[in-house]
Amino acid sequence: MSTPTEEPELPAAEPVPRSRLRMQLVWLVPIVAILIGGWLAVKAVMERGEQISISFKTGDGLEAGKTKLKFKDVDIGVVEAVSLTRDHKRVVAKAEVTRDVSDLLVDNTRFWVVRPRISGGTVSGLGTLLSGSYIDVDVGNSTKARRDFVGLEEPPAIASDVPGHEYTLHGVGLGSLDVGTPVFFRRIQVGQVSSFHLDPDGRGVTVKVFVNAPYDRFVRTDTRFWHASGVDMSFDSNGLRLETQSIVSIIIGGIAFESPPGSQVETSADSGTRFELYPRRADAMEQHDRIVDKYVVNFTDSVRGLTVGAPVDFRGVVIGEVTAIYTRFDSKTRQFSIPVEINLYPERFTSRYQNDGAGDGGRLTADPRALANYLVERGLRFQLRSGNPLTGQLYLAVDFFPDAPKASIDWTKTPPEMPATPRTLQSLQDSVSRLLTKVNNIPFEDIGKDARSTLRTTNAMLGQLHTQVVPKAFDTLLSAQSTLDSANAALQPDSSLQQSTEDAMRELTRTAASLRTLADYLAQHPESLVRGKSEDKKP
């Protein structure tokens, strides 16, 4: 019988202290996960872009999560939410902009929604028909940061980084101008209209134009701007003239500028300089005078065809213009008259050549009142004349009329009143009236009586001629006719007189032949006159 095998004794368990290192390894994974999560969270917070809000009048083209913000066609953000303001009048777009462009968010940075537009003759935003609308950004130059903006409803005509200068123009009307309308210099497009608005008093409009570099150096302090819209048509002594800047200006309008002829100014105008916007080039290029003398000319004849702005002409040179036309009733004489106010420009008499004895300040004399009195005493008068027979327009002419009645300037009135003389047509009418007066004074009744008496005497004489002279004259005519008939019969070819005449002519011919024979014989035998004709000897 076998004995059981003894199992070896197990060693006694000895307690081993717990290792701290093993505990850290167990928690290492969650700790690392927490650290990674925290790092990602911190990174997300650190990389999170700037939050801005942009308000627009409408939400057209805005869509949360899709509408991008772009600067120079590079995505810099996205619209996260679109909502209405509390008063429901505007739309607010909440957008996130990447942090690396946060320095672009300054006070005068501009935002606008890019969508298809046609404005000022230009078409923009056609690419958004496929890609969708987006918000474009034009960075300002301010140093003040900003996060709440008011978006533009129309894209700015000029970006802030485009070199050039902006100028302010003031005119009486906008015409066909719009934002983006071209600006021309010598028919080359050098800029465009950037904005416009109505004056607070409603008496004009202010237009801002931007001229690109390097063309902005041609805008000088004396430069003139004018409307170049459509076609400028004028009819003068040189015929019909048509002027335009380009086909574009005919369709959408435009503005042109140029310095006046003969200008010596070389100083370029600063940005923001204010200029006058004239309706036409002819108005812009008119001479601008520093001295203006105001007068009134009182007319008693019709001024139909005379308008405000009509020229005051001295022998073909424009020296002023009409500024106002009124009517006046004189309670003493109970007559109506037409006072016409005018502006005269004394500098136009000395604009190019210095006159002997010219006074200071561009005048002909230092005492203009004494000169005016002297000229009026010598017959200086104002007269209405026809400027265009086709349209009936009148202008005011200044000239000397030595035969005009004596007159003087009424310096007691404000403005002083200058004497006038009737125009040529009126003078002709006065002459006709005087002629008719003289004709009316002719004694036509007495002349008629004398004429009737003369007619009776004439009739009596004609009766006597008919009863006495006419029969005798008729007999005389009959006798003359008979004599002519006899003479005509005698001259007929078969008449006896004609035959006798022919016989006589034949006899005369034979006689002439005999005389010629005799003469020949005597020439050969002159001795025959003494001896006689010798007999021919026979052989």
Side-chain angles (χ1 to χ4, degrees):
M1 187 172 165
S2 62
T3 61
T5 304
E6 293 182 0
E7 296 180 358
E9 294 181 359
L10 296 173
E14 294 179 0
V16 178
R18 195 169 202 178
S19 175
R20 295 181 180 178
L21 181 59
R22 184 178 299 177
M23 185 181 300
Q24 291 177 354
L25 293 175
V26 172
W27 291 97
L28 182 60
V29 174
I31 290 175
V32 171
I34 292 173
L35 291 176
I36 293 174
W39 178 77
L40 292 175
V42 172
K43 182 180 179 181
V45 172
M46 293 180 63
E47 292 182 352
R48 181 176 176 81
E50 296 285 344
Q51 299 293 319
I52 64 172
S53 63
I54 311 170
S55 66
F56 298 94
K57 286 187 177 180
T58 66
D60 185 19
L62 300 178
E63 188 174 355
K66 291 186 177 180
T67 304
K68 304 292 185 179
L69 276 72
K70 293 186 177 183
F71 175 65
K72 296 184 180 296
D73 290 331
V74 177
D75 293 345
I76 61 172
V78 64
V79 175
E80 295 182 337
V82 180
S83 61
L84 294 173
T85 58
R86 291 181 178 274
D87 56 4
H88 301 163
K89 292 183 178 180
R90 297 184 67 86
V91 175
V92 178
K94 298 288 186 178
E96 179 183 343
V97 181
T98 56
R99 184 174 295 274
D100 57 347
V101 295
S102 60
D103 57 336
L104 303 181
L105 305 176
V106 294
D107 188 59
N108 57 351
T109 296
R110 298 178 290 184
F111 298 84
W112 67 94
V113 179
V114 177
R115 59 175 72 96
R117 285 187 176 90
I118 300 177
S119 176
T122 59
V123 180
S124 61
L126 293 181
T128 60
L129 293 174
L130 300 177
S131 62
S133 300
Y134 62 91
I135 297 177
D136 206 348
V137 183
D138 180 44
V139 179
N141 54 5
S142 176
T143 58
K144 181 181 178 181
R146 185 176 177 180
R147 296 296 180 266
D148 296 327
F149 299 92
V150 177
L152 303 177
E153 299 305 318
E154 297 289 339
I158 307 298
S160 58
D161 58 349
V162 175
H165 286 82
E166 189 176 52
Y167 306 98
T168 302
L169 312 181
H170 185 268
V172 296
L174 184 63
S176 58
L177 303 180
D178 196 0
V179 174
T181 299
V183 176
F184 298 95
F185 176 69
R186 301 192 184 278
R187 291 184 170 86
I188 300 175
Q189 183 174 348
V190 298
Q192 55 188 322
V193 175
S194 57
S195 65
F196 61 86
H197 65 268
L198 184 67
D199 292 347
D201 56 4
R203 296 184 178 181
V205 293
T206 299
V207 181
K208 290 188 177 181
V209 298
F210 187 88
V211 180
N212 301 320
Y215 305 106
D216 54 348
R217 62 191 177 92
F218 298 114
V219 181
R220 302 190 174 101
T221 55
D222 65 341
T223 294
R224 316 283 174 81
F225 289 80
W226 68 89
H227 282 276
S229 306
V231 178
D232 186 7
M233 181 175 64
S234 61
F235 186 80
D236 54 16
S237 58
N238 294 324
L240 182 64
R241 295 189 303 172
L242 299 176
E243 293 185 2
T244 183
Q245 294 296 318
S246 67
I247 299 298
V248 175
S249 66
I250 296 177
I251 300 174
I252 65 173
I255 294 177
F257 69 88
E258 189 178 338
S259 294
S263 173
Q264 301 297 325
V265 178
E266 298 293 339
T267 305
S268 298
D270 296 331
S271 182
T273 303
R274 188 180 181 89
F275 296 93
E276 186 74 17
L277 180 59
Y278 295 92
R280 299 181 307 159
R281 185 181 187 278
D283 299 329
M285 291 300 154
E286 285 184 352
Q287 182 177 352
H288 292 185
D289 301 274
R290 299 171 301 167
I291 305 175
V292 180
D293 291 339
K294 295 183 177 294
Y295 295 95
V296 63
V297 185
N298 197 33
F299 293 97
T300 57
D301 48 342
S302 175
V303 296
R304 183 179 180 85
L306 185 69
T307 59
V308 174
V312 178
D313 180 282
F314 176 71
R315 297 181 179 179
V317 178
V318 177
I319 61 171
E321 62 179 347
V322 175
T323 58
I325 302 174
Y326 304 102
T327 58
R328 182 170 63 189
F329 177 74
D330 192 339
S331 58
K332 295 181 179 179
T333 60
R334 295 189 174 276
Q335 292 181 351
F336 285 96
S337 60
I338 311 295
V340 177
E341 291 186 4
I342 62 174
N343 285 345
L344 294 183
Y345 308 116
E347 289 176 299
R348 300 196 178 183
F349 290 97
T350 59
S351 59
R352 185 174 179 85
Y353 301 102
Q354 182 66 29
N355 293 270
D356 294 337
D360 297 332
R363 294 182 180 273
L364 288 174
T365 177
D367 190 357
R369 181 173 295 191
L371 177 61
N373 290 332
Y374 173 81
L375 296 176
V376 170
E377 290 177 0
R378 296 305 186 273
L380 184 71
R381 299 290 186 273
F382 288 80
Q383 185 185 53
L384 292 172
R385 292 181 183 176
S386 176
N388 192 327
L390 298 178
T391 61
Q393 293 179 340
L394 301 179
Y395 69 95
L396 204 55
V398 184
D399 211 333
F400 289 92
F401 299 86
D403 298 332
K406 296 295 183 181
S408 60
I409 304 175
D410 190 352
W411 296 102
T412 61
K413 296 182 178 180
T414 305
E417 185 171 327
M418 302 289 286
T421 185
R423 55 179 168 164
T424 305
L425 181 59
Q426 185 67 29
S427 301
L428 180 60
Q429 291 176 351
D430 295 340
S431 300
V432 172
S433 299
R434 290 193 295 268
L435 178 60
L436 291 176
T437 301
K438 293 180 180 180
V439 170
N440 290 331
N441 293 330
I442 296 176
F444 287 104
E445 185 175 356
D446 296 339
I447 294 174
K449 292 179 180 179
D450 295 340
R452 284 194 294 270
S453 177
T454 303
L455 287 175
R456 284 195 295 268
T457 303
T458 304
N459 288 331
M461 294 176 63
L462 291 175
Q464 185 177 2
L465 289 173
H466 184 267
T467 56
Q468 297 179 7
V469 177
V470 172
K472 294 181 179 180
F474 183 73
D475 294 340
T476 303
L477 290 174
L478 289 177
S479 300
Q481 183 66 35
S482 177
T483 303
L484 290 175
D485 292 341
S486 299
N488 188 30
L491 294 175
Q492 292 297 323
D494 55 350
S495 64
S496 59
L497 178 62
Q498 187 73 16
Q499 294 178 357
S500 299
T501 302
E502 292 179 357
D503 293 342
M505 291 299 296
R506 285 194 292 270
E507 291 295 333
L508 288 175
T509 301
R510 286 194 293 268
T511 302
S514 300
L515 290 175
R516 185 180 301 108
T517 301
L518 177 62
D520 293 339
Y521 181 80
L522 291 176
Q524 297 177 1
H525 306 281
E527 69 278 5
S528 61
L529 291 176
V530 178
R531 300 177 181 180
K533 183 177 181 183
S534 60
E535 293 294 337
D536 294 333
K537 295 182 179 181
K538 294 181 181 180

